[in-house]
Amino acid sequence: MDIEFRDSPETGSPRIVARIVEQDKLPGDLPLTIAEGAKATRFTGKAGQVFDGFADESGKLVRLALAGSGKKDTESRHASLEKAGAALAAKYLTSGETEIALDAASSGLDASETAAVLMGARLRSWRWDHYRTKLRDEQKRTLTKVVVIGAPDGAKAEWEDAQAVATGVEFTRELVAEPANIIYPESFVERCAKRFEGTGAELVVLDDAEMEKLGMGALLGVGLGSARPSRLLAIKWMGGAKDEAPIAFVGKGVTFDTGGISLKPGPGMEDMKWDMGGAGAVAGAMLALALREAKANVIGVCGLVENMPDGKAMRPGDVITSMSGQTIEVLNTDAEGRLVLCDALTWVQKEFKPARIVDLATLTGAMLVALGMEHAGVFSNNDDLADDLLHAGKQSGDKLWRFPLAPEYDKLLDSPIADMKNIGGRYAGSITAAQFLGRFIENDTPWAHLDVAGMVWADKPGATWDKGATGYGVRLLDRFIRNTVKG
Ligand code: BES
Ligand code: MN
Ligand code: ZN
């Protein structure tokens, strides 16, 4: 999507002019046909609502669109403005129209609000048509441009900054949308290496032999059944103060999860190509930070493996030794995400001494049962960190809901033969998974685990995404860094 800033509508300006409208505040200066039409169709300006109609403006027929941005002065103001922009993009994406004008001046938008609308429009128009060779004309995207008219001072700069984040979200979506024969541990790393070229971010890659040396028996155990070698990828962005300890993001990157010997049932197994959505979000967030040259020190770690059944694969009952030295009885090879993450967590703590750690993982089906596709779960040993994330979640639209951790849950992981089992009992599956990870956090380092199992993929279009990969987590992490790290 091209974005162009213009001072005033010129001749040949787009046929559709869009205004952003606050909820229950229909502007008084609307042409009669539009004002009446909006009322008649119960358009109230709720976030994401759109109405359009034709109006005669000085002898010229224009198509005027109103997009609702909800109520002002809420924590989620920017997310609502994104919804307005996204709703416009969704409506005209394949409509035959090629451009729309956003009337920023009469919408009363400030610079960052303008950027939020544009962000929504751009994100909602993203599609991955890479493998489609036979799109019918009416399926093809026609809308390619938004012209911003009368943008306030600073809107262009805000958009430059927001664009970096949009690019990050799109990179995450690309990684998540790609099938597992295309994105596997090595190719995930290659795709990142290409994408981060020239950004100033530094990539560190560990292969099987190096991880073996470090004693990462948990992560490597998951990859044993796969013909694809495993990888640990660290993306370093050190844009902050010299001696400031970094923030660490750690992502589960299981590029395909068959369950291993504890094989998953066939129907729906194809979904497990997006079991690398946590790692995808980490890579996209790091790209956003690097492109906008964030004044922050952040390390993004992706634990990359493929979980396959094979003669070489782990068996239920096997005991493995993690990098931390703690031993794990693997009772279910399908509880593999925590095995990948625990070694990645140990490594990032040993290597970088982070001030705070946030991990993201499509960790448990139980998370979907609990929260569906509206919130990701957050589990934390630190209330301040949890609050910072919850706040960033509301602002960014990547919503979170907090769950408890407690010694009583932790006990469910005790094993008769090793330091712990990799599964708890029948109940509280998302919590016991989080407790497992908590056992690898050293010295009470503030840590939060985000179970994003319901969020990385959508079966139907949502606020700022079409069906498919959502890019969940990128805006959340970016907002979290903006709010909490003061260069
Ligand atoms: N990747 C899955 C979790 C998942 C399932 C994410 C469905 C998204 C949709 C994870 O590796 C897994 O298989 N978890 C098991 C854990 C169980 C064996 C304790 C689960 O949730 O069933
Ligand atoms: Mn699994
Ligand atoms: Zn998994």
Side-chain angles (χ1 to χ4, degrees):
M1 179 80 82
D2 292 333
I3 308 291
E4 191 185 311
F5 289 82
R6 272 189 220 157
D7 292 335
S8 58
E10 298 152 14
T11 43
S13 69
R15 208 160 72 94
I16 305 177
V17 178
R19 285 174 66 162
I20 307 301
V21 175
E22 234 180 278
Q23 189 168 336
D24 302 324
K25 299 222 165 107
L26 217 56
D29 63 343
L30 291 174
L32 189 66
T33 50
I34 302 298
E36 287 302 317
K39 271 184 223 150
T41 57
R42 293 185 161 178
F43 173 91
T44 57
K46 271 198 204 125
Q49 246 185 353
V50 185
F51 166 80
D52 82 347
F54 289 85
D56 178 16
E57 286 201 349
S58 18
K60 200 178 142 213
L61 204 57
V62 287
R63 192 170 178 184
L64 190 57
L66 307 179
S69 63
K71 295 222 160 84
K72 224 175 172 153
D73 301 323
T74 64
E75 214 177 353
S76 52
R77 170 78 174 149
H78 272 75
S80 299
L81 286 159
E82 282 185 8
K83 272 190 197 167
L88 287 167
K91 184 163 174 77
Y92 301 114
L93 198 60
T94 58
S95 66
E97 299 285 354
T98 57
E99 294 184 14
I100 55 177
L102 171 66
D103 186 346
S106 50
S107 300
L109 299 174
D110 71 19
S112 75
E113 290 171 339
T114 306
V117 174
L118 295 173
M119 173 81 123
R122 173 159 158 191
L123 290 181
R124 183 59 183 83
S125 59
W126 184 91
R127 303 195 339 194
W128 193 242
D129 287 339
H130 209 76
Y131 300 109
R132 297 180 193 276
T133 65
K134 297 189 167 166
L135 276 178
R136 287 188 313 265
D137 270 351
E138 68 270 23
Q139 297 173 313
K140 284 186 187 144
R141 163 179 171 168
T142 56
L143 184 70
T144 55
K145 195 179 203 174
V146 178
V147 180
V148 189
I149 294 163
D153 283 350
K156 231 173 164 168
E158 285 278 349
W159 173 240
E160 283 302 316
D161 191 77
Q163 251 190 81
V165 181
T167 304
V169 174
E170 289 169 357
F171 184 49
T172 298
R173 289 179 179 177
E174 172 187 327
L175 289 166
V176 170
E178 287 282 26
N181 62 326
I182 303 294
I183 288 292
Y184 42 90
E186 289 166 292
S187 62
F188 186 109
V189 171
E190 276 163 33
R191 191 86 49 119
C192 288
K194 264 214 196 97
R195 215 59 179 66
F196 279 86
E197 230 168 70
T199 61
E202 188 196 333
L203 270 58
V204 179
V205 187
L206 303 187
D207 63 17
D208 285 290
E210 289 162 304
M211 289 191 275
E212 182 86 54
K213 238 189 241 152
L214 290 166
M216 295 191 181
L219 186 151
L220 289 173
V222 176
L224 284 178
S226 172
R228 315 272 196 199
S230 305
R231 289 288 184 269
L232 191 80
L233 166 67
I235 304 164
K236 294 167 64 175
W237 174 254
M238 302 299 269
K242 235 191 154 54
D243 303 316
E244 195 162 274
I247 308 294
F249 297 146
V250 179
K252 168 180 172 181
V254 175
T255 58
F256 197 79
D257 180 14
T258 63
I261 296 299
S262 312
L263 194 63
K264 286 182 182 296
M269 201 200 274
E270 66 278 6
D271 280 351
M272 287 299 108
K273 77 167 183 180
W274 47 258
D275 208 18
M276 37 56 69
V282 168
M286 294 309 298
L287 184 62
L289 295 172
L291 291 177
R292 72 172 179 82
E293 298 181 19
K295 291 192 172 46
N297 298 331
V298 188
I299 312 285
V301 177
C302 302
L304 302 164
V305 300
E306 186 182 55
N307 188 21
M308 299 290 271
D310 183 77
K312 295 198 181 87
M314 278 193 301
R315 292 151 290 259
D318 282 4
V319 174
I320 56 177
T321 304
S322 65
M323 183 184 174
S324 72
Q326 299 179 88
T327 57
I328 304 160
E329 183 189 13
V330 179
L331 288 180
N332 189 323
T333 64
D334 197 11
E336 86 297 341
R338 60 200 78 182
L339 302 176
V340 174
L341 285 172
C342 72
D343 278 345
L345 287 167
T346 300
W347 184 76
V348 79
Q349 290 172 93
K350 294 254 179 311
E351 199 74 9
F352 299 103
K353 310 260 173 302
R356 296 172 127 186
I357 306 170
V358 181
D359 79 69
L360 292 89
T362 49
L363 205 61
T364 63
M367 199 74 261
L368 269 149
V369 174
L371 290 176
M373 292 160 159
E374 294 304 322
H375 292 83
V378 53
F379 306 75
S380 184
N381 62 359
N382 184 285
D383 291 344
D384 287 335
L385 176 57
D387 287 344
D388 285 344
L389 286 163
L390 289 164
H391 180 52
K394 281 194 183 136
Q395 289 178 309
S396 66
D398 286 348
K399 288 174 290 176
L400 292 167
W401 197 263
R402 191 171 180 187
F403 280 76
L405 293 170
E408 293 78 5
Y409 292 116
D410 191 68
K411 236 174 100 60
L412 301 173
L413 293 168
D414 290 344
S415 155
I417 181 171
D419 294 334
M420 69 194 89
K421 312 185 278 192
N422 77 327
I423 51 172
R426 195 161 127 72
Y427 301 113
S430 303
I431 302 176
T432 50
Q435 294 288 167
F436 181 97
L437 300 176
R439 290 188 177 210
F440 296 85
I441 300 302
E442 298 158 21
N443 309 318
D444 289 323
T445 304
W447 153 75
H449 156 61
L450 312 185
D451 193 334
V452 298
M455 306 308 290
V456 309
W457 191 263
D459 301 329
K460 52 180 172 42
T464 54
W465 54 87
D466 200 344
K467 57 177 184 284
T470 62
Y472 181 91
V474 175
R475 278 170 296 163
L476 171 73
L477 296 179
D478 176 69
R479 181 55 58 188
F480 168 73
I481 293 293
R482 283 176 202 261
N483 291 349
T484 60
V485 184
K486 300 283 173 236

